[in-house]
Amino acid sequence: MDDDFWAGWPERWAGTDCDVRVAVGAIPPEVKDGFRFDKVPWQRFPHFYGPGEEIPGLLATLASGDAEAADRALLQLWTNLHHQGTTIAAGALAVPFLIRIATTGRPELCAQILHLVAEIGRCQHMGDGSREGLLQVAEEPLMVEGSTMCPVDWTIQAARRAVTDDLPLLLPLLDSPDPEVRSMTAYVLAAATDETPRVSSALRSRQAKEDDAVVRVSLILAIAQLAREHHDDHAPRWAQDLWSDPGRPPEIRIGAGLAWLCLVTDPAPDELRTLLADPGIPRYDDLLRSVPWLTWCDAPGFALRSCIDEMLAAKAPAAVL
């Protein structure tokens, strides 16, 4: 392609057929609900290993009753849409259909599908367990995906818009009997771009009655992520009330301590340092290793300890703009 094609990139592409945000926003509800893949412009957005037209077949197989084929399709979707921690525009087109397959397909695949949805809709901090990085969602504006030259943040924005549009399908999953589904639902809902009071209220209501340690921490971090991005001034006090209460279960206090450190620019007070530096904390590394926010952190098997060490050793983060 000549230089004229790239002139004014990416601004000149915004709002055009090359903008995945436009493509995802134009998918009508009846196309999503009816799995009308033929009405979606897959051809404009290749995946990491081939043309976007390959994705509908994988989605259809994932939704089928063939268990082995569905498992293979999900693995291939992960490879094609989220290679080595990077998201791609075709993934955003797939998000509405993935959500519907998660809610109506094989129950044992629900959590894994939701996990893929969540990862498509957030930047990949790839081990950044810092106060600034753990709850970060947006990508640098000029970070591009090489196959499509589409800004990665456009993909993230499109996927997050699709998540927000499908809140009526996602919110009931907070009451799933499967704790892994509840945890991953919190991870997905943390990416919502609108109706945040409604989403936060649902997360808090679930947190008040949740008894699973991993889900408890996931709910707390989801609430904190929404609060951080949408500037909820009451959230730091909420988090502090949780971590400073010795009557709370340890995992709630740990999760709330991490949340508080991500929500404020203040140095960690001695009381919180004592809590997070307790010699008994390492036993929670294994218990909480499947909290979605922690799975990307370094030191496999010691993600929580690694995250705590990084947060307590670092200077206070810059204020969230």
Side-chain angles (χ1 to χ4, degrees):
M1 296 181 185
D2 57 32
D3 292 340
D4 289 340
F5 180 84
W6 298 110
W9 179 94
E11 292 81 7
R12 185 167 64 85
W13 288 15
T16 72
D17 288 348
C18 295
D19 188 337
V20 69
R21 298 170 298 183
V22 172
V24 173
I27 303 175
E30 60 270 20
V31 169
K32 302 175 189 177
D33 295 338
F35 293 95
R36 293 293 308 277
F37 301 126
D38 59 312
K39 299 297 184 181
V40 178
W42 304 98
Q43 71 280 1
R44 295 184 206 156
F45 304 99
H47 60 75
F48 284 110
Y49 292 102
E53 294 94 326
E54 295 178 347
I55 301 302
L58 293 171
L59 292 170
T61 301
L62 180 61
S64 73
D66 187 330
E68 291 187 7
D71 289 341
R72 290 194 299 270
L74 181 56
L75 180 61
Q76 194 62 51
L77 284 165
W78 268 101
T79 300
N80 291 349
L81 302 180
H82 197 261
H83 177 59
Q84 295 183 348
T86 302
T87 190
I88 195 168
L93 290 175
V95 163
F97 302 106
L98 288 169
I99 290 173
R100 282 157 179 77
I101 296 170
T103 57
T104 62
R106 292 171 54 211
E108 63 270 27
L109 291 182
C110 181
Q112 297 176 56
I113 296 171
L114 290 174
H115 193 185
L116 178 57
V117 168
E119 297 295 359
I120 291 171
R122 64 184 286 119
C123 71
Q124 302 312 313
H125 56 66
M126 297 300 289
D128 185 353
S130 68
R131 295 175 69 173
E132 291 182 313
L134 186 66
L135 303 183
Q136 183 179 348
V137 186
E139 186 56 88
E140 291 294 328
L142 295 182
M143 177 71 70
V144 300
E145 189 289 306
S147 300
T148 62
M149 293 306 293
C150 179
V152 175
D153 204 41
W154 289 11
T155 295
I156 293 171
Q157 291 171 29
R160 296 180 66 191
R161 182 69 255 174
V163 165
T164 305
D165 289 344
D166 281 335
L167 288 178
L169 298 177
L170 291 165
L171 287 169
L173 296 178
L174 287 174
D175 292 320
S176 167
D178 184 344
E180 188 178 6
V181 170
R182 300 197 299 274
S183 178
M184 289 302 173
T185 300
Y187 197 38
V188 174
L189 290 173
T193 58
D194 210 351
E195 297 191 59
T196 50
R198 176 188 177 193
V199 177
S200 293
S201 177
L203 291 167
R204 290 184 187 231
S205 294
R206 181 68 234 180
Q207 191 263 331
K209 58 187 177 184
E210 183 58 57
D211 60 2
D212 182 90
V214 170
V215 184
R216 281 172 165 170
V217 175
S218 296
L219 290 164
I220 289 169
L221 294 180
I223 294 165
Q225 182 173 306
L226 287 168
R228 184 178 189 269
E229 188 172 20
H230 298 282
H231 309 290
D232 181 352
D233 294 335
H234 301 288
R237 167 52 67 180
W238 161 80
Q240 184 169 357
D241 286 345
L242 289 179
W243 67 251
S244 63
D245 182 355
R248 299 277 184 176
E251 66 272 10
I252 288 181
R253 300 186 70 196
I254 293 168
L258 297 179
W260 186 88
L261 288 168
C262 293
L263 287 169
V264 303
T265 59
D266 305 21
D270 290 343
E271 183 183 359
L272 180 55
R273 286 183 173 275
T274 299
L275 169 67
L276 296 180
D278 188 284
I281 287 292
R283 70 175 180 268
Y284 291 95
D285 273 311
D286 189 58
L287 177 65
L288 302 179
R289 66 188 307 174
S290 58
V291 172
W293 284 264
L294 298 178
T295 55
W296 282 104
C297 292
D298 290 333
F302 302 95
L304 175 63
R305 181 74 271 163
S306 175
C307 186
I308 289 173
D309 289 345
E310 186 170 2
M311 287 192 181
L312 294 183
K315 295 180 180 179
V320 179
L321 300 179

